[in-house]
């Protein structure tokens, strides 16, 4: 298998932020899972190992790595800030 395309390399400040984020228990479970994925990815674990430890699908790990490389720590939140929705009903 080839080298990983999306490498997670957390700074000390980002790591501290994520550790605090996961330890409080005040966030949504999905966001907490993504934060734990990033912490384990920074430790150098493979996607399969991370998915076993965290309890999610390996594709979730891949997507979280990708989102982190594109958006930074905002990747733990699901929605992108520039996302626009088209109305399905116009009120008439």
């Amino acid at each position: 298998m080839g080298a990983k395309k999306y490498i997670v390399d957390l700074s000390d400040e980002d790591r501290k932020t994520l550790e605090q984020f996961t330890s409080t228990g005040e966030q949504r479970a999905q966001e907490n899972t993504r934060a734990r994925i990033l912490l384990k990815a920074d430790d150098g674990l493979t996607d399969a190992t991370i998915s076993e430890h965290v309890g999610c699908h390996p594709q979730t790990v891949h997507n979280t790595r990708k989102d982190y490389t594109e958006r930074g720590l905002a990747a733990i939140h699901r929605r992108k800030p520039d996302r626009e929705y088209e109305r399905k009903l116009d009120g008439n």
Side-chain angles (χ1 to χ4, degrees):
M1 191 174 226
K4 293 233 177 273
K5 186 174 181 180
Y6 304 107
I7 306 295
V8 175
D9 187 24
L10 296 174
S11 67
D12 292 336
E13 182 179 330
D14 288 349
R15 182 173 257 301
K16 190 180 290 185
T17 301
L18 289 174
E19 287 173 347
Q20 184 179 14
F21 187 85
T22 58
S23 66
T24 59
E26 296 175 2
Q27 284 71 28
R28 295 177 46 203
Q30 292 174 341
E31 293 173 353
N32 194 352
T33 300
R34 289 189 200 98
R36 291 174 41 214
I37 288 171
L38 290 176
L39 288 169
K40 292 191 180 292
D42 187 46
D43 291 338
L45 299 177
T46 63
D47 288 358
T49 307
I50 294 171
S51 67
E52 289 176 11
H53 287 203
V54 176
C56 65
H57 195 275
Q59 187 64 40
T60 304
V61 178
H62 173 77
N63 292 341
T64 304
R65 283 181 189 265
K66 179 181 175 188
D67 287 345
Y68 175 75
T69 58
E70 293 173 354
R71 300 184 347 191
L73 281 185
I76 59 176
H77 305 292
R78 183 73 171 155
R79 294 191 176 175
K80 297 178 183 175
D82 59 345
R83 188 172 176 182
E84 294 182 17
Y85 296 95
E86 292 183 21
R87 293 185 180 253
K88 295 188 183 217
L89 298 174
D90 61 1
N92 292 328

